[in-house]
Amino acid sequence: MTKISADALKQLFFDARTQNGWLDKPVSDEQLRELYDIAKMGATSMNTQPMRVIFLRSKEAKQRLAPALSPGNLDKTMAAPVTAIVARDMQFFEYMPEIWHNPTARDTFANNAPMAQATAVRNATLQGAYLMIAARAIGLDCGPMSGFDVAKVNAEFLPDGRCQTDFLCNIGYGDTSKLMGRQPRHAFERACTLL
């Protein structure tokens, strides 16, 4: 592998920002399929792929979400072209015979609920990050959020309990006039240890 270009790094990380406002510009179903098809290629442990996504595109779908949002997230979510509910399938292991080479993998998780839960949480969140990077890679902006009532979102959109909401992410074309200043990041020396 070779290092990606400086422009690509800027688009994915250095210039990319959490968006708080949105332009009135639609995101197509084809774009959503493309970003998922990129994101699904990211690594998960034992290829478990527990992330499930509900893309809310219509005004009616957004209105169903509105009662679960914190006040600070309401207006920007209603204005975003798409809001993704990034969730985890707690029964992800049912698909293991299709996606993993070892046929006993399903039973490994089915017979160990704590391991299955930890795997679902960790890997769905990881896939959610891939989804954001994929969105940025195809020219979209993201506004991930945790300011919402998880129980309300689950009750409204995932009522059978099989899947559980992890986080929300607005997707579209950001209005740069509504960006906050870039916040500091930890230095290597604080965040990392070399042994």
Side-chain angles (χ1 to χ4, degrees):
M1 293 194 144
T2 59
K3 185 174 181 177
I4 64 175
S5 71
D7 286 341
L9 286 171
K10 285 180 182 179
Q11 182 167 329
L12 297 178
F13 295 102
F14 297 119
D15 289 347
R17 303 289 301 282
T18 295
Q19 297 295 323
N20 290 304
W22 301 94
L23 301 177
D24 185 16
K25 185 176 176 183
V27 173
S28 70
D29 290 359
E30 291 75 23
Q31 286 174 294
L32 296 176
R33 287 180 180 276
E34 182 182 15
L35 79 87
Y36 174 75
D37 284 339
I38 295 168
K40 73 181 181 183
M41 300 309 293
T44 55
S45 60
M46 292 177 66
N47 202 35
T48 49
Q49 304 175 65
M51 180 184 71
R52 303 294 179 262
V53 185
I54 302 172
F55 291 113
L56 307 180
R57 302 166 302 141
S58 69
K59 183 178 179 181
E60 294 76 20
K62 295 282 197 70
Q63 289 301 321
R64 290 173 57 197
L65 179 65
L69 297 172
S70 66
N73 287 333
L74 181 61
D75 290 345
K76 62 185 174 184
T77 300
M78 294 302 108
V82 177
T83 301
I85 300 173
V86 179
R88 50 187 171 258
D89 182 352
M90 303 309 289
Q91 303 294 316
F92 67 88
F93 47 82
E94 289 184 1
Y95 300 105
M96 293 303 289
E98 298 172 28
I99 59 175
W100 188 243
H101 62 89
N102 186 337
T104 65
R106 182 200 177 280
D107 293 340
T108 298
F109 292 107
N111 296 326
N112 189 335
M115 184 172 106
Q117 180 177 359
T119 299
V121 169
R122 182 180 310 110
N123 288 278
T125 302
L126 181 62
Q127 285 189 284
Y130 295 146
L131 192 77
M132 291 172 53
I133 293 170
R136 290 171 172 177
I138 65 169
L140 297 170
D141 291 303
C142 298
M145 301 175 288
S146 58
F148 63 96
D149 186 320
V150 174
K152 285 182 180 179
V153 175
N154 287 342
E156 182 64 32
F157 294 97
L158 303 163
D160 68 2
R162 177 179 174 130
C163 294
Q164 299 173 1
T165 302
D166 191 347
F167 67 95
L168 304 178
C169 187
N170 289 327
I171 299 171
Y173 298 92
D175 179 351
T176 57
S177 72
K178 296 187 178 174
L179 283 174
M180 295 186 297
R182 170 78 82 183
Q183 300 299 301
R185 299 302 196 263
H186 292 300
F188 181 91
E189 291 74 16
R190 180 182 292 168
C192 304
T193 302
L194 296 173
L195 299 177

